[in-house]
Amino acid sequence: FAQTTSHKNRSVNFAPGPLVEAGVPLSRANIASRFANPLLVAWGVIWTPEGTTEYNVTHAMLDTGAYVGSPFHTVLTSGKPLHKSLIDLDEKTEHSSYLEFAENGGTDLFANFLEFGDGTKNGCTFVSNSPDGFSNEHMELIQSTRHGLASAIEPITMRKSTNSLLRTYIGDGPASAVKQGTIMRGEHAGLEAAVMFTDLRGFTAKSELWSKTKLLDALNGYFDVVVQAVEEHGGDVLKFMGDGILSIFPIEDPSLFQSQCHKAVKAARIALTGLNELNHERGKSNEEPLAMGIGINVGSVTYGNIGSPARLDFTVLGTAVNVASRVQDLCKELDEPVLATEKVAKSLTSSFNSLGRHSVRGVAEPIAVFGLKPKEK
């Protein structure tokens, strides 16, 4: 297998040139490798003569019929290669993956596992569309690539695992900065950003009254709603603080000021809509509805590493962050789901109503606060 990595689109391209040149009638190859991640269990790449496609595998997928009984499941469970004809399959008894291969012209399948240096076993499948399928010689040639293929795949998997863990725990922006070498304590950079603070209302009381399972289910539903809204609009979720969520929408160019403020506001609207939908589902189980407050500000922030020599945290600091948090605190007092500062409201005048000036902790003078208007139907 020849392997190339494209830095432009960060895709991995595998071409089984030597096997094809040796006469192996390949029409499809699929390699899936496990890695350490609380959300994803593996990544994979599928080759066909038309090109390659990468994919991710979630933990939940391993419990579905799509995996159980599949070629991957069979070889990883048995620890032995699998050779199976795809001709004249019984639709009532065969696994769906075999039927799918056959529907796409597959006549024969060979599956095996690749073993990494740490003993981890990872699956690979090869499909032929040739009327004669794979001969013994073809399968021996495929087998001969096992160690070389494992050696090529393992470092890519390790890199993807590291990148995936960084994104999962510290967000896309900080993950990118750390990968680029911003890893020393005290290293920082200044940037402009729209800052969004989100807080779940009544969390303290709920944590005292609800069971841990009930509380965590509610928190995860709320986190799902906010994180999806932020990430879909180009924001970066930096931190979970109890029931609080800190997100930023970086303004890398002054011309993007209004656009990034608009994205933050749109994310807030989508999050509120998502919470309403979540509450509808919770109501079906007689669960209490959830409410949240969102504060949005824009300004200069400091972005980088803080902490002790043994424990670092990648975060944003600055007055703009503090004010966003304080504005969010006013949501309950003013009975508003979303509040923004004057700079944000001025960039989107038709979306906000003035609610006057209010004192906030840590700021000497009262600040102008604006409530988000309900979206017109």
Side-chain angles (χ1 to χ4, degrees):
F1 277 67
Q3 174 267 318
T4 60
T5 302
S6 169
H7 295 286
K8 183 177 180 181
N9 58 17
R10 297 182 182 179
S11 66
V12 178
N13 180 42
F14 288 92
L19 289 177
V20 174
E21 291 171 5
V24 178
L26 276 178
S27 61
R28 186 181 191 274
N30 183 357
I31 299 98
S33 304
R34 289 178 175 268
F35 54 36
N37 186 286
L39 303 178
L40 303 173
V41 71
W43 76 280
V45 58
I46 297 173
W47 171 88
T48 67
E50 290 73 35
T52 57
T53 304
E54 289 187 59
Y55 63 92
N56 292 319
V57 181
T58 65
H59 289 272
M61 289 175 65
L62 297 186
D63 295 325
T64 67
Y67 175 72
V68 178
S70 69
F72 282 126
H73 180 249
T74 301
V75 298
L76 293 176
T77 302
S78 68
K80 298 178 181 179
L82 168 68
H83 180 213
K84 183 177 180 65
S85 172
L86 300 176
I87 298 174
D88 296 330
L89 297 176
D90 186 341
E91 295 184 3
K92 295 181 180 179
T93 60
E94 294 290 356
H95 190 270
S96 59
S97 59
Y98 298 123
L99 299 174
E100 183 179 344
F101 294 147
E103 287 175 5
N104 291 321
T107 59
D108 206 11
L109 174 138
F110 180 70
N112 204 356
F113 62 87
L114 306 177
E115 188 167 355
F116 287 173
D118 61 357
T120 303
K121 289 182 172 61
N122 307 277
C124 53
T125 62
F126 304 88
V127 175
S128 174
N129 283 10
S130 169
D132 298 325
F134 295 124
S135 67
N136 289 334
E137 182 181 359
H138 294 151
M139 289 184 284
E140 288 175 3
L141 283 170
I142 294 174
Q143 278 285 71
S144 70
T145 68
R146 284 182 62 216
H147 300 303
L149 187 54
S151 296
I153 291 286
E154 183 169 9
I156 299 172
T157 300
M158 291 173 64
R159 184 164 62 248
K160 284 182 170 290
S161 180
T162 299
N163 293 345
S164 178
L165 280 172
L166 285 172
R167 289 196 304 271
T168 298
Y169 283 104
I170 64 176
D172 285 340
S176 178
V178 170
K179 285 185 290 183
Q180 292 171 13
T182 308
I183 56 177
M184 298 296 292
R185 181 170 66 143
E187 284 194 68
H188 63 276
L191 69 138
E192 295 291 309
V195 182
M196 189 170 99
F197 255 97
T198 310
D199 182 77
L200 189 62
R201 289 285 168 256
F203 176 74
T204 301
K206 290 178 174 62
S207 63
E208 294 177 354
L209 297 174
W210 289 0
S211 68
K212 291 180 180 179
T213 299
K214 184 177 180 179
L215 188 66
L216 288 175
D217 284 345
L219 276 176
N220 284 333
Y222 152 71
F223 287 150
D224 284 346
V225 162
V226 176
V227 171
Q228 184 174 343
V230 170
E231 292 185 344
E232 285 183 351
H233 292 85
D236 207 358
V237 176
L238 297 184
K239 199 177 297 294
F240 297 112
M241 301 161 289
D243 62 318
I245 304 173
L246 169 61
S247 307
I248 63 169
F249 297 77
I251 303 172
E252 298 174 352
D253 186 289
S255 65
L256 299 175
F257 181 90
Q258 184 176 21
S259 171
Q260 293 302 86
C261 287
H262 178 66
K263 287 181 179 180
V265 173
K266 193 170 183 181
R269 285 195 187 277
I270 296 298
L272 289 175
T273 299
L275 192 68
N276 286 336
E277 293 172 354
L278 176 64
N279 283 334
H280 179 71
E281 293 302 314
R282 288 175 60 81
K284 294 178 181 178
S285 303
N286 295 318
E287 297 285 357
E288 295 176 38
L290 304 175
M292 65 181 172
I294 301 174
I296 306 173
N297 187 29
V298 64
S300 300
V301 299
T302 300
Y303 189 70
N305 274 309
I306 61 171
S308 71
R311 177 68 170 85
L312 295 175
D313 187 19
F314 212 105
T315 189
V316 289
L317 303 169
T319 301
V321 179
N322 296 336
V323 170
S325 175
R326 302 303 178 229
V327 168
Q328 178 274 129
D329 288 339
L330 285 174
C331 287
K332 184 176 182 180
E333 179 181 329
L334 299 179
D335 193 26
E336 293 283 341
V338 180
L339 293 175
T341 57
E342 188 170 15
K343 284 185 177 180
V344 176
K346 277 188 173 180
S347 70
L348 299 159
T349 53
S350 63
S351 297
F352 288 93
N353 288 317
S354 174
L355 298 176
R357 305 184 75 86
H358 297 266
S359 297
V360 296
R361 184 159 51 93
V363 179
E365 298 293 329
I367 65 171
V369 176
F370 296 77
L372 184 64
K373 294 179 181 178
K375 191 172 183 179
E376 294 183 3
K377 297 182 179 179

